Amino acid sequence: MKKKLLFFIFFLGSLLANAQTEYAVLIKSQVNPRSVWPPDDNEGFHYAFAGANGCTIDLYGRVDKVPKYCFFYVIGDPTQLLFTEGMGASQICGTIRKTVAYNKDTFSYYYFNGCLADSEIMAIHIPELPPGETNGKCSEEIITLKNGWNWRYQLDNGGWVNFPLQFQEKTSISFKIKDLPGYSNQSQIHFQAGYQTQFTNIRTYNIIGCSPELQEKKPTTTNVKCDNESSGSATLKFKTDLNDNDKFLFNLYVYNINLNSFEFLSSEFAEKNQIYNKTFTWNNIAYGTYFIKYQAQSTSDNNNRTGSNAISTDPFIIENVAPLTYTATGVQPKCSTDTGGILIRAAGGTPPYYYILNNQAKKELTTNPFLIPISNDGDHKVIILDSNNCLEK
C-alpha cells in the first residue's frame, strides 16, 4: 500500500511540474542613455511577477550598454502582472509601479517606458491554434509561430534542434518546414519557444502532402438532368499528380440564396487511384451556387476538416432545369379511313422528347405538338420523357 501511495505522489508531482512550465514571461530591459541623471542616480532595478513567481533585473547606467534579461515560469492562474522600477540615490523618478491585466492564454506583450530603463515584457507560450484550423501543415506552407524568443524544433521522435540564428531572439518567426535543416519527408514536427535553455509548451503539427494546384480555379460543371434532382457535377483539373501515400480531402460548401453566406455540406476522400488524368469529378450535386476546398492528406489521416493550407475553387453554379410538362389530347377520326391518335404538346425538361405507347419501344416526338397515331379502339397508355429520361412530376 505504501508503494502505491508513493507512486501516486510522484506521478502527481510530475503533472504539476509539467503544468508549471507551460507558460513563462521574459523581460528584456535596456538602460536609457539620459544625460540628466546625476552620477549616483543611474542605478536601480526592474522587477516583474505574475502570481507567485517573478524575476529581477539589476541595472547600472554607467556600465550596462546592452539589454539584460530575466525569465520566469508562471504558476497557477494569476490575473495581474505587476511591474516595478526602483532607483537608487536621489530618486529623481522615485519608484514606479504598473499593474497589467494578465491572462496566461491571451497575454502577448507589454512595453514599459521607465525613467531608468525601458522593458519589453513578453509571453513565452506558443498560442493554441485558431478555431477551425487543423494541425496539418504542408512542408511548403508558411508557418508563423508567436510568443517566443529562442526557438527549437523536433522532427518525428528525433532530437531537439535549434532554429538557425536568423530566427533566434524574435517574438514571432515565419518559415517553411522544407527549409529547416534535417527535414526529409518526416510525418510530424514539434516546436518549442523559450529563453536560452528554458522552454515552455510544445506545439505539434502533422506534415501533410502539398496540394496540387488547379489548372482552372472554376470547375467545369454539368447541370442537373431533371427538375429538383441531385444530378449535377463539378470537375476539377489539377496541374500535377497527387503524391504517393497521399489522398485528397474535398469539402463542398453551398451559398445561401442571397449569396452573402455559405455553409459546409459534405466531404469526400479520393485516393490516387481514383484521380484519372489529373481530374476529379464530384457527382450528385443539386442546383445551387457552390465552392470546393481541398487539400492533400496522408492516407492514414481521417480528419474531414481542411486546414489553413486548403485550396479553394472559384464559386460555380449548378443550374436547375424547367420541369417537364405535357398535355395529351385524344383525336377521334372523322371517318373510318382517317387515323386518330393522341396529340402531345411537351414543354420544359431537355428536348428532344420521346414517347412510349402501350409499353412499346421508345420513339421520338419529331414535332411539337406531335400526333401519336392510334389504329385500334380502346384504352391506351402513353409515357412522355425528355432526352434525360425525365418524367413529368
Side-chain angles (χ1 to χ4, degrees), residues 118-351:
D118 298 329
S119 282
E120 296 178 80
I121 305 168
M122 299 169 279
I124 305 296
H125 176 86
I126 304 175
E128 297 293 328
L129 293 174
E133 183 176 334
T134 70
N135 69 340
K137 295 293 182 182
C138 161
S139 64
E140 296 182 359
E141 179 184 1
I142 295 176
I143 296 177
T144 297
L145 298 177
K146 298 180 179 180
N147 291 4
W149 189 248
N150 296 124
W151 302 89
R152 66 181 186 177
Y153 63 93
Q154 180 187 54
L155 289 160
D156 285 345
N157 295 318
W160 286 100
V161 179
N162 291 329
F163 269 79
L165 287 177
Q166 67 265 32
F167 296 101
Q168 302 296 348
E169 299 188 356
K170 296 181 184 296
T171 58
S172 175
I173 59 173
S174 297
F175 56 92
K176 295 179 180 179
I177 295 174
K178 72 180 185 67
D179 295 330
L180 295 177
Y183 171 68
S184 59
N185 297 315
Q186 287 89 349
S187 61
Q188 275 195 331
I189 188 165
H190 317 278
F191 299 105
Q192 272 192 307
Y195 173 66
Q196 295 184 349
T197 60
Q198 297 173 287
F199 291 88
T200 58
N201 63 314
I202 297 175
R203 172 70 59 242
T204 297
Y205 291 97
N206 295 318
I207 304 173
I208 62 176
C210 298
S211 305
E213 296 284 342
L214 291 167
Q215 287 192 13
E216 297 290 341
K217 293 284 285 183
K218 189 172 185 177
T220 302
T221 60
T222 60
N223 297 324
V224 298
K225 294 179 179 180
C226 303
D227 172 49
N228 211 26
E229 274 189 355
S230 296
S231 53
S233 68
T235 298
L236 284 65
K237 180 73 173 178
F238 306 102
K239 294 180 180 179
T240 57
D241 288 317
L242 188 65
N243 293 333
D244 292 338
N245 301 317
D246 281 350
K247 64 182 176 183
F248 276 120
L249 165 62
F250 298 97
N251 282 357
L252 181 65
Y253 297 82
V254 62
Y255 285 94
N256 69 1
I257 193 169
N258 297 317
L259 303 181
N260 56 12
S261 66
F262 56 85
E263 62 177 322
F264 167 76
L265 277 187
S266 61
S267 295
E268 284 196 16
F269 291 101
E271 298 194 4
K272 189 170 183 177
N273 60 5
Q274 298 173 281
I275 306 299
Y276 304 102
N277 296 322
K278 301 176 186 174
T279 62
F280 169 78
T281 299
W282 193 313
N283 294 305
N284 304 318
I285 306 177
Y287 73 90
T289 303
Y290 303 87
F291 70 94
I292 294 173
K293 290 180 70 174
Y294 73 91
Q295 70 180 47
Q297 290 185 341
S298 167
T299 52
S300 62
D301 190 349
N302 292 318
N303 189 343
N304 65 356
R305 293 188 305 167
T306 54
S308 59
N309 66 315
I311 297 175
S312 293
T313 70
D314 286 346
F316 59 90
I317 298 173
I318 303 293
E319 300 280 3
N320 198 13
V321 63
L324 173 65
T325 60
Y326 69 92
T327 60
T329 306
V331 177
Q332 301 295 329
K334 294 181 179 179
C335 58
S336 60
T337 58
D338 290 342
T339 300
I342 303 173
L343 185 66
I344 301 295
R345 288 182 172 87
T350 306

Side-chain angles (χ1 to χ4, degrees), residues 28-30 32 34 46 111-114 116-120:
K28 174 186 176 183
S29 296
Q30 176 73 65
N32 293 322
R34 294 173 180 165
H46 277 188
Y111 184 80
F112 174 78
N113 181 222
L116 170 65
D118 298 329
S119 282
E120 296 178 80

